[in-house]
Amino acid sequence: MADLARAITTPINVDFMSISSYGDGTNSGVVRILKDLDESITGHDVILVEDIIDTGLTLTYLLATLSARRPASLEVCGLLDKSVRRIVEVPIRYKGFDIPDEFVIGYGLDHEGRYRNLRAVLGVRDMAALRDPDLVARALESAGA
Ligand code: 5GP
């Protein structure tokens, strides 16, 4: 988000939501808003920025929630698009990269709260390896951080 904001030359406000899925295993796409936006978006041109779009369920829920607040416009920007996993089609106006069906960490993306500080996006082939306490150091080293 910080990198994106620095690349935008028109005046903008940046606001954050914190959400989590209900984690009931039903993959319903119903999310819990842990922290809502601080400011009203009514009448504003809004770009919803997502780290990664996977099934599209989270984004669909968020778009419905934010549309109800009557912004002047609402577009989606996604850094990573795992389109092979899509369950619901979502309109991505600004897209960074298509990626294969692989779990990714780093550059803001976490696994159980860790690894957001990796400077690169890393694909994880061995999920069990993420529990290795030395992995972060080795990954940072190989990413040239
Ligand atoms: P969706 O509702 O599109 O299936 O899921 C979107 C959310 O799931 C993302 O905002 C992200 O929090 C999480 N997510 C999906 N795929 C990945 C991944 O490969 N790595 C990480 N760290 N999170 C993911």
Side-chain angles (χ1 to χ4, degrees):
M1 188 59 223
D3 284 343
L4 179 65
R6 275 189 286 262
I8 297 173
T9 50
T10 53
I12 53 163
N13 286 351
V14 178
D15 205 344
F16 293 92
M17 290 180 88
S18 178
I19 58 162
S20 79
S21 66
Y22 271 102
D24 57 3
T26 59
N27 211 6
S28 61
V30 177
V31 301
R32 186 168 26 169
I33 296 176
L34 303 176
K35 183 214 161 284
D36 207 337
L37 297 174
D38 291 329
E39 305 290 335
S40 165
I41 58 168
T42 305
H44 291 266
D45 293 308
V46 175
I47 300 176
L48 172 54
V49 180
E50 259 284 32
D51 49 6
I52 182 166
I53 299 129
D54 188 24
T55 63
L57 290 167
T58 306
L59 201 51
T60 300
Y61 179 87
L62 282 177
L63 284 173
T65 302
L66 296 180
S67 296
R69 302 180 189 183
R70 298 177 181 277
S73 65
L74 180 59
E75 303 283 2
V76 174
C77 171
L79 174 65
L80 303 172
D81 183 6
K82 228 193 266 183
S83 57
V84 66
R85 299 240 319 150
R86 200 73 92 249
I87 292 174
V88 206
E89 229 17 80
V90 280
I92 308 174
R93 176 81 167 77
Y94 308 101
K95 177 156 69 170
F97 305 93
D98 285 298
I99 61 165
D101 185 9
E102 199 164 71
F103 190 80
V104 288
I105 55 169
Y107 194 65
L109 287 148
D110 75 308
H111 174 257
E112 296 179 356
R114 295 173 66 197
Y115 303 113
R116 290 189 198 276
N117 56 326
L118 298 180
R119 295 174 67 139
V121 176
L122 305 181
V124 181
R125 301 225 165 90
D126 176 9
M127 293 299 287
L130 292 178
R131 309 213 179 270
D132 176 351
D134 294 328
L135 187 75
V136 175
R138 287 207 303 277
L140 283 168
E141 206 173 297
S142 66

